[in-house]
Amino acid sequence: MTSTIDPKTIGQPTKTAKTAHRRHVRTVTGYIPETDASGKEKWPVGDEKVWKEGIPKLTTEVPAITKSVVNHVHTSLARQAYNLDNLGAYQASALSVRDNLLVNWNETQSHYSRKAPKRAYYLSLEFLMGRTLDNALLNLGLKDKYQTGIDKLGFNLEDLLDEERDAGLGNGGLGRLAACYLDSSASQELPVWGYGLRYKYGIFQQLIAPDGSQLEAPDPWLEHDNPWELPRTDVTYPIRFYGHAERLDGMRAIWSGGQEVIAMAYDTMIPGYETKTTNNLRLWESKPKRGFDLQSFNAGDYERAVEASNSAEAITSVLYPNDHTTFGKELRLKQQYFWTAASLADIIRRFKNTDKPLSEFPENVAIQLNDTHPTLAIPELMRILVDEEDVPWEKAWEITTNTFFFTNHTVLPEALEKWPVPLMETLLPRHMQIIYDIIPSASTAVERKFPGDRERLARMSIIEEGFPKNVRMANLACIGSRKVNGVAELHSELVRATIMKDFVDLYGVSKFSNVTNGITPRRWLDQCNPGLSNLISETLKLPKAEFLKDLTKLGVRRVLLSLLPRTMHIADIVMENLQGLLKYVDEPAFQKKWAAVKQSNKERLAHYVETTLGFKINTRAMFDVQIKRLHEYKRQTLNILGVIYRYLTLKDMTPEERKKVNPKVVFFAGKAAPGYYIAKLTIRLIVNVARVINQDPDTKELLSLYFLPDYSVSLAEILIPASDISQHISTAGTEASGTSNMKFCLNGGLLVGTVDGANIEIAEEVGESNVFFFGHLTPAVEDLRYQHLYHPVPIEQKCPPLARVLNEVSAGRFGDGGVYEPLLNTIRQTDYYLLTEDFDSYIQALKLVDEAYQDRIEWIKKSIRTTAKASHRFTSAGMGKFSSDRAIQDYAQEYWNIESTKVE
């Protein structure tokens, strides 16, 4: 006899299947020690004394550090001093630092298990982490000692830092915001985990073709072992796609058949600054359930043998697959469900280990949805509660709507995510059933409050009628979340007044609020600009921790908030330490030191450009920087057309007139989505304009232009400290917030921008005299678009300078003009992003910049005031308002209701 299996049962759920994957073999999380009758914890295995003597401690002294690094060279890398290069030395050093992180990490997770605080989980499709070694050393306070130890081993720490590749887990501001929030959560000792996907190739490596166009190559960031992650082979969950959903009694159903893949966890430690607290980023990798099809292989069908494996592994291969194809669209939806389903399974498993009833789930768990990408978590939680945990529908919906919180990141209706109903019905049949089950209660609430308003019902419906019908993810996120927030004051107001107005009318304004984005001052000041950080520390005679962590005084914050009117912000009460710099703004010696730091950063950027691109840069010129993902609303096109205008103006000048001109170097960096044709044309135009003006003997000393390919966090860390000005020039009302503007200001760079996003709040804090605003305001935008559509005026009449620029491009001054006609026609015809309306104002703003830059002393003062987070009208709030420490505390207190919990 032997055991047998009915082939028909393969892929079918069993009675134990729905709970089996909620528990797994012991990992660092979810374990609570048993206690004896007196309440004392019992040691689980072996001799407690022997175990505790063997538990590692932090390695904090140079001899122990060098010993740890050498040990990893020999035992982790199987190498020796005779054959160790910089890459090997980096890997050994990183593993040594990771050992320290793991000591704190284990203590943190055990602390959370014992104390069982309410936890928050941050679901984001992107986590743009940047390099980890430098950040880990900074947060551990061990950078100087590791530098000394590595010097003794014959290597240079800066060289080793350059060996690390940026993690390919994000593309833009959405992902960098998530990374800052995880850093701040750990630094503020908050129990917050992040959940994302472990992309094998990231988004893409950006290359530039000979004709100037963008090329996309795979970004193999995992080409070498990633020393910062821990594979969790014991943390796996089966994730189902396709199949069919069979209704049972009431609202329950059984989802079976189709394809099953395995989600396997990889953990990355997130250390807090000046604290033991070390939180976690858990990333999911897709793996085949059974892998290799041996029967097909033995039959000679080799492609079929690996088909299932390839299909499963493709899910986490690339960030943002091109969704202009049916395959790409399906793959993106697969990614979103795979990640949210695995994350929820893990969150529920951890909660159930506390033995609390599911009715208490919202009192113990808060889940933040970072944009609409994780919205499928809402029907997935309903599926788990109703189908697997037998919770009644009404109670399950109550639990769900009190667990989720939704951050909206756009005001562009076309950017709100939608998925075709036929695709959803095929790929996720059970979730489509649940969405249809949610609709009646949502529609009833609308009909009850606005009887007979069918247009409102249609606008608010989760399903958008059409061919095909679409699922509106933003509507689902709004209906299924406890609170909705925007990411800047203007953005949040626009959300309430436009794309979410109907929901505000239904639920009331209290559900819709604002949390202005923030950045971590550790990475975006001390790590990327140590010269400035050191100058601040020396001038104010303060340890760096005083201004890198103490931007919000957390010890008094909660008490003060409980006593203050809700309209007041703690920044109006608590004096920021960086305000002390204002006392030195008029001192020549301090001005000289400040200018020297900026010049050093410009030299560093120039060295980077020379070593990577082969070009020499005039570091005495003004550095003008725009670094963002390429998009029409961000208006890189306006910038490059302004550069062309400046070039043509210089060409028109006499040699004597040119002597009075302020030299300028313009930098662009950013990636265009592979399917975004107009954005890619903008890159091509930038590159080809640079070729012309950088070689023109009449102007090359006064104006030069560079496109720096393959933009990343590490490149931003070089560009931002070197900037004299940065451009944040989106059409008014289109940029939700922005965070790069905050980073530039923190590093003493002045802004050129529209009255949009966080630019407005920055100007309120640093003073409008330190920001160069231009362009039409948000209330005028729709009227101007209406005029463009129904009462167009020729560009030659409306804006002759811009017309000349466009004609020069069309005429072939910068290469084949016909190539750029689709791009130019977006301006000549509809001009949806109002370049023709704002061009004259933009050029005037740049002239004001030139005039201000000529007065070097006053310019340095402006730079100091900007970093010092204040203007002549503000004595407290300043740039501290834009710290991610402040933002994450807003989420913790106003949304998640979680407390700091110190790890002793």
Side-chain angles (χ1 to χ4, degrees):
M1 291 294 292
T2 185
S3 62
T4 61
I5 184 171
D6 183 354
K8 295 180 180 178
T9 65
I10 297 176
Q12 298 288 334
T14 63
K15 290 183 179 180
T16 59
K18 62 185 181 183
T19 55
H21 67 275
R22 300 286 173 230
R23 303 267 181 178
H24 55 69
V25 178
R26 162 80 178 116
T27 69
V28 72
T29 60
Y31 179 79
I32 301 175
E34 294 181 5
T35 56
D36 59 21
S38 66
K40 180 182 177 181
E41 293 181 358
K42 294 192 293 186
W43 191 254
V45 62
D47 189 314
E48 180 176 356
K49 180 180 179 182
V50 172
W51 268 97
K52 290 190 173 179
E53 286 176 351
I55 294 175
K57 303 292 191 295
L58 288 176
T59 304
T60 59
E61 299 303 325
V62 173
I65 287 170
T66 56
K67 183 177 180 181
S68 171
V69 173
V70 172
N71 177 67
H72 278 294
V73 170
H74 282 258
T75 61
S76 299
L77 306 182
R79 300 173 77 168
Q80 301 180 54
Y82 305 102
N83 63 348
L84 189 66
D85 56 7
N86 276 350
L87 176 60
Y90 155 71
Q91 290 174 321
S93 301
L95 290 168
S96 171
V97 174
R98 191 186 77 168
D99 287 346
N100 275 333
L101 295 182
L102 282 170
V103 171
N104 287 340
W105 193 56
N106 273 302
E107 289 190 32
T108 301
Q109 309 316 319
S110 294
H111 174 78
Y112 289 162
S113 294
R114 288 185 174 90
K115 298 294 184 182
K118 182 177 183 180
R119 297 184 184 222
Y121 299 98
Y122 198 83
L123 270 59
S124 179
L125 201 55
E126 298 184 41
F127 286 94
L128 198 58
M129 306 302 292
R131 292 171 173 168
T132 300
L133 177 55
D134 200 14
N135 185 70
L137 289 172
L138 170 66
N139 282 9
L140 286 167
L142 293 175
K143 188 169 183 178
D144 289 343
K145 290 185 178 180
Y146 264 85
Q147 188 159 20
T148 300
I150 288 169
D151 283 344
K152 289 179 177 290
L153 295 174
F155 293 89
N156 179 276
L157 179 59
E158 294 302 319
D159 292 338
L160 302 194
L161 294 177
D162 285 339
E163 289 293 325
E164 182 176 355
R165 295 188 68 151
D166 281 37
L169 300 174
N171 178 41
L174 184 85
R176 186 54 231 170
L177 179 73
C180 283
Y181 282 172
L182 290 188
D183 181 285
S184 287
S185 295
S187 297
Q188 305 305 323
E189 299 174 329
L190 294 166
V192 177
W193 273 32
Y195 278 105
L197 289 177
R198 183 181 182 265
Y199 304 104
K200 186 176 181 180
Y201 289 106
I203 185 165
F204 60 83
Q205 181 183 6
Q206 184 189 51
L207 306 171
I208 303 300
D211 65 1
S213 58
Q214 171 182 285
L215 299 176
E216 300 92 28
D219 174 22
W221 73 281
L222 291 170
E223 179 181 14
H224 304 290
D225 286 343
N226 178 11
W228 303 107
E229 66 182 10
L230 280 177
R232 288 291 183 190
T233 56
D234 59 332
V235 184
T236 61
Y237 301 101
I239 308 299
R240 187 181 304 280
F241 300 103
Y242 310 110
H244 59 276
E246 180 183 351
R247 290 278 192 177
L248 299 176
D249 56 295
M251 307 296 281
R252 293 179 63 242
I254 292 180
W255 182 21
S256 59
Q259 176 192 26
E260 271 193 327
V261 301
I262 297 299
M264 175 180 156
Y266 286 76
D267 287 346
T268 300
M269 293 72 71
I270 307 296
Y273 179 72
E274 296 275 308
T275 176
K276 278 187 178 181
T277 299
T278 303
N279 287 337
N280 195 43
L281 169 60
R282 177 158 284 182
L283 303 173
W284 301 105
E285 181 177 80
S286 55
K287 295 181 178 294
K289 186 171 183 180
R290 291 182 177 81
F292 192 73
D293 184 349
L294 185 61
Q295 291 184 352
S296 296
F297 183 83
N298 288 338
D301 190 347
Y302 305 124
E303 290 186 3
R304 186 178 179 86
V306 296
E307 181 180 352
S309 177
N310 291 341
S311 175
E313 292 175 355
I315 295 173
T316 52
S317 289
V318 180
L319 169 65
Y320 295 147
N322 186 352
D323 63 356
H324 288 190
T325 67
T326 301
F327 172 79
K329 191 180 293 290
E330 181 174 313
L331 184 55
R332 285 187 69 163
L333 185 57
K334 267 190 170 183
Q335 285 183 336
Q336 293 185 10
Y337 176 64
F338 172 85
W339 148 58
T340 54
S343 301
L344 274 175
D346 201 48
I347 292 167
I348 289 178
R349 184 270 310 164
R350 188 174 300 110
F351 170 78
K352 292 182 73 173
N353 282 346
T354 66
D355 293 325
K356 296 177 181 178
L358 279 167
S359 59
E360 297 180 11
F361 192 69
E363 285 72 47
N364 291 271
V365 171
I367 301 175
Q368 188 71 41
L369 307 177
N370 191 28
D371 214 356
T372 55
H373 306 131
T375 304
L376 283 170
I378 292 172
E380 172 64 6
L381 180 56
M382 288 295 292
R383 185 192 69 81
I384 293 170
L385 294 175
V386 173
D387 294 353
E388 297 189 1
E389 303 296 340
D390 297 332
V391 177
W393 175 271
E394 291 75 13
K395 183 61 181 178
W397 186 239
E398 179 187 340
I399 292 170
T400 297
T401 54
N402 281 289
T403 297
F404 290 105
F405 300 84
F406 169 48
T407 299
N408 172 277
H409 284 276
T410 186
V411 292
L412 302 176
E414 65 271 20
L416 295 176
E417 194 173 35
K418 302 172 186 176
W419 291 108
V421 168
L423 175 59
M424 285 278 290
E425 288 175 331
T426 301
L427 189 67
L428 303 169
R430 178 57 181 137
H431 296 77
M432 200 62 243
Q433 285 181 350
I434 291 171
I435 289 170
Y436 276 123
D437 288 340
I438 292 171
I439 290 174
S441 60
S443 299
T444 299
V446 176
E447 176 64 23
R448 187 181 299 118
K449 189 164 186 178
F450 306 100
D453 193 341
R454 296 183 181 181
E455 291 185 2
R456 186 186 296 266
L457 272 170
R459 292 194 303 268
M460 297 180 70
S461 176
I462 298 173
I463 304 299
E464 178 185 63
E465 298 298 325
F467 301 95
K469 295 180 180 180
N470 283 291
V471 180
R472 294 166 167 150
M473 304 309 280
N475 287 17
L476 177 57
C478 182
I479 291 168
S481 296
R482 184 171 180 175
K483 295 194 76 171
V484 178
N485 74 278
V487 290
E489 291 288 357
L490 174 63
H491 169 241
S492 296
E493 181 55 40
L494 288 172
V495 167
R496 290 189 288 262
T498 57
I499 58 176
M500 293 291 177
K501 183 180 184 304
D502 290 323
F503 293 99
V504 175
D505 293 342
L506 177 64
Y507 296 116
V509 73
S510 62
K511 181 170 178 171
F512 301 85
S513 54
N514 175 67
V515 179
T516 297
N517 285 345
I519 59 173
T520 168
R522 271 81 63 184
R523 181 181 288 270
W524 295 110
L525 178 60
D526 191 67
Q527 186 173 329
C528 75
N529 198 349
L532 183 58
S533 181
N534 291 336
L535 176 60
I536 293 170
S537 179
E538 293 164 6
T539 302
L540 299 181
K541 296 180 174 56
L542 285 171
K544 288 185 180 180
E546 289 296 318
F547 58 85
L548 293 180
K549 187 174 182 179
D550 206 24
L551 293 178
T552 51
K553 305 292 194 296
L554 300 177
V556 298
R557 193 177 202 277
R558 181 174 290 277
V559 176
L560 287 173
L561 279 173
S562 67
L563 300 175
L564 294 174
R566 302 299 293 171
T567 55
M568 297 184 69
H569 196 282
I570 193 65
D572 296 324
I573 303 298
V574 180
M575 186 70 173
E576 311 292 355
N577 280 326
L578 290 183
Q579 298 290 324
L581 291 178
L582 294 178
K583 295 186 297 184
Y584 303 92
V585 71
D586 292 315
E587 292 189 5
F590 182 68
Q591 294 168 1
K592 186 176 181 180
K593 291 178 182 178
W594 190 276
V597 169
K598 178 65 71 174
Q599 185 62 31
S600 174
N601 289 326
K602 293 168 82 168
E603 299 286 350
R604 180 176 63 163
L605 174 56
H607 175 73
Y608 172 86
V609 173
E610 184 172 1
T611 55
T612 57
L613 301 181
F615 300 115
K616 288 187 177 293
I617 291 179
N618 175 14
T619 59
R620 294 295 169 182
M622 175 197 294
F623 279 17
D624 179 339
V625 180
Q626 187 179 22
I627 46 175
K628 300 174 183 291
R629 64 185 175 90
L630 269 288
H631 198 290
E632 289 171 275
Y633 88 83
K634 293 181 182 290
R635 298 206 295 191
Q636 286 92 347
T637 307
L638 178 63
N639 190 345
I640 187 57
L641 296 177
V643 172
I644 296 172
Y645 173 83
R646 189 182 187 92
Y647 170 66
L648 297 176
T649 302
L650 287 170
K651 292 291 287 183
D652 291 341
M653 289 180 178
T654 65
E656 287 302 314
E657 289 173 326
R658 290 178 193 147
K659 290 180 181 178
K660 301 176 184 178
V661 172
N662 180 52
K664 179 189 275 193
V665 183
V666 180
F667 297 95
F668 285 88
K671 296 179 179 181
Y676 198 166
Y677 180 62
I678 296 299
K680 294 174 79 169
L681 273 183
T682 303
I683 292 176
R684 185 168 180 173
L685 180 60
I686 294 168
V687 173
N688 286 310
V689 170
R691 285 175 175 156
V692 172
I693 67 176
N694 291 357
Q695 295 175 5
D696 191 321
D698 294 335
T699 62
K700 65 180 181 180
E701 298 302 322
L702 299 174
L703 178 64
S704 55
L705 169 65
Y706 301 94
F707 184 87
L708 306 185
D710 210 30
Y711 179 57
S712 64
V713 174
S714 297
L715 180 52
E717 290 172 359
I718 299 173
L719 279 160
I720 289 171
S723 75
D724 291 303
I725 62 170
S726 60
Q727 300 208 24
H728 310 272
I729 56 177
S730 54
T731 308
T734 61
E735 182 69 82
S737 173
T739 52
S740 65
N741 45 10
M742 304 170 189
K743 297 162 192 169
F744 281 105
C745 284
L746 189 59
N747 285 273
L750 276 61
L751 303 188
V752 175
T754 47
V755 185
D756 196 30
N759 289 353
I760 299 169
E761 292 163 80
I762 289 174
E764 289 173 351
E765 307 302 343
V766 306
E768 288 192 21
S769 62
N770 299 313
V771 177
F772 299 90
F773 275 137
F774 74 93
H776 287 82
L777 303 181
T778 300
V781 169
E782 287 306 317
D783 285 341
L784 290 169
R785 286 173 175 162
Y786 175 86
Q787 293 297 326
H788 289 180
L789 188 61
Y790 294 105
H791 306 284
V793 177
I795 295 180
E796 288 76 11
Q797 180 180 338
K798 181 189 295 185
C799 187
L802 178 58
R804 182 192 176 193
V805 169
L806 299 182
N807 291 337
E808 290 286 342
V809 175
S810 294
R813 188 156 191 165
F814 307 102
D816 182 1
V819 169
Y820 302 111
E821 285 305 307
L823 171 63
L824 303 182
N825 285 339
T826 65
I827 305 168
R828 288 173 170 147
Q829 295 172 8
T830 57
D831 190 24
Y832 185 78
Y833 294 106
L834 307 188
L835 275 71
T836 57
E837 302 290 346
D838 285 352
F839 189 78
D840 287 338
S841 177
Y842 175 61
I843 295 303
Q844 184 59 36
L846 294 178
K847 287 180 180 178
L848 293 175
V849 170
D850 284 330
E851 292 170 6
Y853 195 74
Q854 297 287 354
D855 186 342
R856 296 296 299 133
I857 299 302
E858 185 56 35
W859 186 272
I860 292 168
K861 290 181 180 180
K862 286 179 178 291
S863 177
I864 295 169
R865 291 189 190 108
T866 299
T867 295
K869 309 182 174 101
S871 71
H872 64 285
R873 291 187 297 164
F874 289 84
T875 58
S876 57
M879 283 299 295
K881 178 178 182 180
F882 304 107
S883 165
S884 55
D885 294 348
R886 183 273 313 156
I888 209 66
Q889 280 292 331
D890 284 349
Y891 278 113
Q893 296 171 20
E894 308 300 325
Y895 294 76
W896 308 333
N897 194 30
I898 62 172
E899 301 275 355
S900 298
T901 173
K902 188 174 183 62
V903 181
E904 301 296 341

